[in-house]
Amino acid sequence: MSYSPLLNPAFEYAVAVTRGDIAACEDVKLACQRFLDMVERKDAAYEFVPAKAEHILKFVKFCRHVKGPDAGKPIELQPFQVMYLAGVYGFRDRRDHTFRWVTDVILFVPRKSGKTTIASIIALYELQFGDAGAEVFTLATNRDQASICFDSSKAIVENMRPELGAKFIAYRSELKKAGDSTSTYRALSRENRKTGDGKNPSCAMIDEAAQITERQSIEVLHSGMGARKNPLRMYLTTASFTKETKFFEDLSHFRSVLRGAAADSYRWFGLLYSIDPGDNWADPAVWGKANPMLGVSVTTQHIQQMAEEASAKPASLNEFLCKQLNIYVSANSAWVDRRYWDDSVQVIPMDKPESTFVAFDLAHTRDLNAVCTLHRYSEEDFYAKFQFFLPEESIELIPNHYKSIFLQAHASGILRLTPGNVTDLNEIESYIKQECETHSVKEIGYDPYNAAALVANLYADGLPVKKVGQGMAMLSNPSKTTEQLILKKAIHHDGNPFVGWQLGNCEVYTDVNGNVKVRKNEADPSAKVDGIIAMIMALHCHLDNVFVSDSFGFRAIEW
């Protein structure tokens, strides 16, 4: 079946992706095939109505770019954007074409992929041609982010031909449809407490939804759509650093729908761009999978520069993976590339260490506790041993996407589940004393938080306890030392994945004076870094105790 020149790009794109002529990830291939199958179906409660899709595509022709080198020029949609709009607006109830079939939509793309442009157009279209008394809202994590789409829409109206712009009434923070005083288009955010409470949205544009951890703000808007004839909830976002969001739940559901693992009502539609598992992120050949605007608003040279920086600076890697390739990662500024850690696996040496340091990090009464035993063999030769403790009832509080990690750690022996629902300090104390009996421990570093009783008992037994505060001044130097040693593959370990996972959860904060602090990504409260912090504390003890070798301080003597 042939379509108008307006619609043809949508079908040409979908066919090219499914044939492999355009490089795309599995999610996009499945979405394109699903789009084509939906159009061809004759037995469904919906049908594809070209005129409905063409209507919004004609509306786009009246919109102009408002920023950058193309400012003032008509907006020309890319094929994937045409297909996206066709999928949202083309499918109609077979009995009544005034009912749009699709109600929930996802556009999951990296930065600079035209999210704001497409959202601005859809918001204006819904205000002008949607339900009577249309209520269109943009929602984001803060006021500035929520206003980006609204401000873009307002600028598009201001740049329309006067007779078209006159169909909208623009105020400082609101747009209305001329002749419909009950209509509104505004920006909302949790920050200014302007949420969807008490509203009756016809269209909700949820910008950077992957960063919104407060799920109620999304759910309130969604629940308010119940009385609408053609409700439209639209997620427009790049990946983030936490999966504990309403968006990630809906993203996972839609992925299941695409794979046939969940029932398909065809109410959902979306395009999910990323690279595939197993792809080499440094290979330019795969970048186009994640970036549908590559060569348009995103240049290969820009991504190449970002990739080179990610290779040279481990702290930039997660940012590159998340924002340029749209991959969920666990920290927004990766500390060190985990590959260096994974390449340092070694059996513990039989030789007696020159010194041994122990450090422990106690958490809340129901959370993870960590002990690190660090053996020093030379100035750049260490072996780190870890032991973790968790109340057994706390295992049920761990989110499902992390539970398997904890269960695997318990099975390996690196994680001990202690009886009850609070931390068993006696078992931790017993373990530390056992380490001191087995090794000649020079210092035991501790974070004073929640440690008073345990430290008092260790001190009473004559053990060398030492307070290690968690401030930046105290931990900056040992953090930098730890990073250098990891990059030199000088800290060996047994390769337990529980510790490697925690290393991947670390982010680094740098102040104006160049001091650093390694910490957990605050956006993901369920991620753990306790073992890594305990190791840094042990390295602090190492730095306070100068290495003494039998060479009397001379590294080499030439005779």
Side-chain angles (χ1 to χ4, degrees):
M1 182 177 178
S2 61
Y3 294 93
S4 70
L6 281 174
L7 268 178
N8 267 338
F11 293 90
E12 291 170 356
Y13 178 78
V15 170
V17 167
T18 55
R19 287 180 177 173
D21 298 334
I22 295 177
C25 67
E26 186 68 14
D27 283 335
V28 173
K29 290 179 181 177
L30 292 171
C32 287
Q33 186 61 62
R34 179 173 176 265
F35 170 73
L36 295 172
D37 291 343
M38 288 175 67
V39 171
E40 292 297 322
R41 284 192 62 178
K42 304 301 181 184
D43 59 341
Y46 62 85
E47 64 180 330
F48 187 74
V49 182
K52 295 297 185 181
E54 290 169 353
H55 193 261
I56 188 171
L57 296 174
K58 291 175 181 176
F59 177 75
V60 174
K61 295 295 184 181
F62 298 108
C63 301
R64 297 178 180 274
H65 289 284
V66 295
K67 288 184 179 181
D70 292 330
K73 296 179 181 178
I75 293 174
E76 296 288 341
L77 297 179
Q78 296 302 304
F80 85 95
Q81 295 172 317
V82 178
M83 178 189 151
Y84 181 75
L85 292 177
V88 176
Y89 287 96
F91 295 104
R92 299 282 163 159
D93 188 304
R94 189 177 293 274
R95 297 166 300 178
D96 184 350
H97 289 178
T98 63
F99 283 90
R100 182 173 19 82
W101 193 260
V102 171
T103 58
D104 294 277
V105 189
I106 300 176
L107 182 58
F108 186 56
V109 286
R111 285 176 175 167
K112 305 300 181 183
S113 294
K115 294 192 304 295
T116 300
T117 298
I118 204 77
S120 303
I121 292 170
I122 291 173
L124 289 175
Y125 184 83
E126 285 295 315
L127 179 63
Q128 190 64 226
F129 300 103
D131 287 357
E135 293 185 24
V136 180
F137 299 106
T138 61
L139 175 69
T141 55
N142 56 61
R143 185 183 304 174
D144 291 341
Q145 183 67 46
S147 297
I148 290 174
C149 179
F150 173 82
D151 290 341
S152 176
S153 295
K154 189 175 178 181
I156 289 174
V157 169
E158 291 169 349
N159 283 273
M160 283 180 171
R161 298 206 310 256
E163 64 271 23
L164 298 175
K167 295 183 178 296
F168 299 90
I169 301 174
Y171 299 97
R172 182 173 178 271
S173 57
E174 183 180 24
L175 282 170
K176 286 182 172 292
K177 175 183 177 181
D180 185 354
S181 61
T182 61
S183 65
T184 186
Y185 170 18
R186 287 185 287 141
L188 306 175
S189 76
R190 295 296 299 177
E191 184 184 64
N192 60 6
R193 302 192 180 277
K194 291 181 180 178
T195 65
D197 294 301
K199 296 176 174 61
N200 183 24
S202 55
C203 176
M205 316 292 294
I206 307 168
D207 195 15
E208 295 303 348
Q211 298 181 27
I212 301 178
T213 56
E214 208 329 288
R215 62 186 298 134
Q216 184 181 2
S217 55
I218 297 175
E219 290 174 342
V220 166
L221 282 175
H222 194 209
S223 63
M225 292 180 165
R228 288 292 183 174
K229 177 181 178 180
N230 283 309
L232 181 62
R233 179 178 57 160
M234 185 168 294
Y235 291 122
L236 304 112
T237 188
T238 299
S240 185
F241 308 103
T242 176
K243 296 179 179 179
E244 295 186 338
T245 62
K246 171 64 174 164
F247 168 72
F248 188 78
E249 287 181 8
D250 288 339
L251 176 72
S252 300
H253 167 72
F254 185 57
R255 279 178 167 155
S256 297
V257 167
L258 290 176
R259 284 158 177 75
D264 193 351
S265 65
Y266 301 97
R267 297 290 188 179
W268 282 85
F269 187 80
L271 291 172
L272 318 178
Y273 288 91
S274 185
I275 62 174
D276 288 310
D279 282 343
N280 178 8
W281 61 265
D283 182 3
V286 307
W287 295 341
K289 287 185 175 183
N291 290 273
M293 296 289 274
L294 188 65
V296 182
S297 60
V298 181
T299 65
T300 302
Q301 290 80 2
H302 172 73
I303 298 182
Q304 179 74 50
Q305 181 182 351
M306 299 288 288
E308 290 173 355
E309 185 175 334
S311 297
K313 299 178 182 179
S316 301
L317 178 58
N318 271 13
E319 177 74 12
F320 174 77
L321 295 176
C322 185
K323 300 307 179 183
Q324 300 298 325
L325 299 183
N326 219 24
I327 299 172
Y328 267 89
V329 289
S330 58
N332 60 4
S333 181
W335 180 35
V336 291
D337 190 333
R338 182 178 165 178
R339 290 177 296 179
Y340 292 96
W341 180 260
D342 292 341
D343 288 344
S344 302
V345 176
Q346 178 181 295
V347 175
I348 188 168
M350 298 299 294
D351 298 340
K352 182 180 178 181
E354 178 270 338
S355 295
T356 296
F357 307 95
V358 172
F360 61 90
D361 183 29
L362 300 184
H364 294 290
T365 55
R366 303 180 68 182
D367 213 339
L368 188 68
N369 302 270
V371 181
C372 176
T373 302
L374 186 71
H375 300 300
R376 181 172 71 185
Y377 297 92
S378 73
E379 288 180 293
E380 292 190 350
D381 187 9
F382 297 82
Y383 193 92
K385 175 188 172 187
F386 298 88
Q387 188 63 56
F388 299 91
F389 302 84
L390 181 73
E392 60 183 358
E393 292 185 19
S394 294
I395 201 77
E396 298 303 321
L397 304 177
I398 297 168
N400 289 333
H401 57 280
Y402 286 151
K403 189 164 292 185
S404 62
I405 297 174
F406 280 75
L407 294 176
Q408 182 184 37
H410 176 55
S412 73
I414 198 172
L415 173 62
R416 294 185 186 178
L417 298 180
T418 59
N421 59 4
V422 296
T423 299
D424 189 340
L425 293 179
N426 291 330
E427 186 158 347
I428 298 174
E429 178 184 336
S430 176
Y431 174 80
I432 293 173
K433 289 181 177 179
Q434 182 182 342
E435 289 293 281
C436 292
E437 292 173 2
T438 306
H439 309 287
S440 179
V441 175
K442 185 162 287 189
E443 274 188 346
I444 303 172
Y446 69 90
D447 173 4
Y449 175 79
N450 205 32
L454 176 53
V455 170
N457 291 342
L458 296 176
Y459 181 78
D461 280 6
L463 296 178
V465 291
K466 176 185 180 180
K467 176 181 175 181
V468 181
Q470 299 300 290
M472 181 172 285
M474 181 72 71
L475 293 182
S476 178
N477 194 31
S479 296
K480 291 178 179 179
T481 301
T482 304
E483 178 179 344
Q484 293 168 359
L485 292 172
I486 291 175
L487 294 177
K488 292 178 179 179
K489 303 177 184 178
I491 301 179
H492 301 102
H493 53 91
D494 66 2
N496 195 291
F498 194 55
V499 181
W501 170 66
Q502 293 184 40
L503 183 71
N505 293 331
C506 290
E507 67 178 13
V508 61
Y509 170 74
T510 305
D511 70 9
V512 294
N513 297 315
N515 296 313
V516 303
K517 181 177 178 63
V518 176
R519 62 188 184 186
K520 177 177 66 176
N521 172 28
E522 295 179 353
D524 191 351
S526 298
K528 303 299 178 187
V529 298
D530 307 78
I532 305 303
I533 299 302
M535 182 174 67
I536 292 173
M537 292 164 61
L539 262 296
H540 170 85
C541 296
H542 145 71
L543 291 173
D544 275 1
N545 291 270
V546 178
F547 173 75
V548 179
S549 71
D550 55 10
S551 64
F552 303 98
F554 296 97
R555 293 183 182 275
I557 300 178
E558 295 184 3
W559 298 96

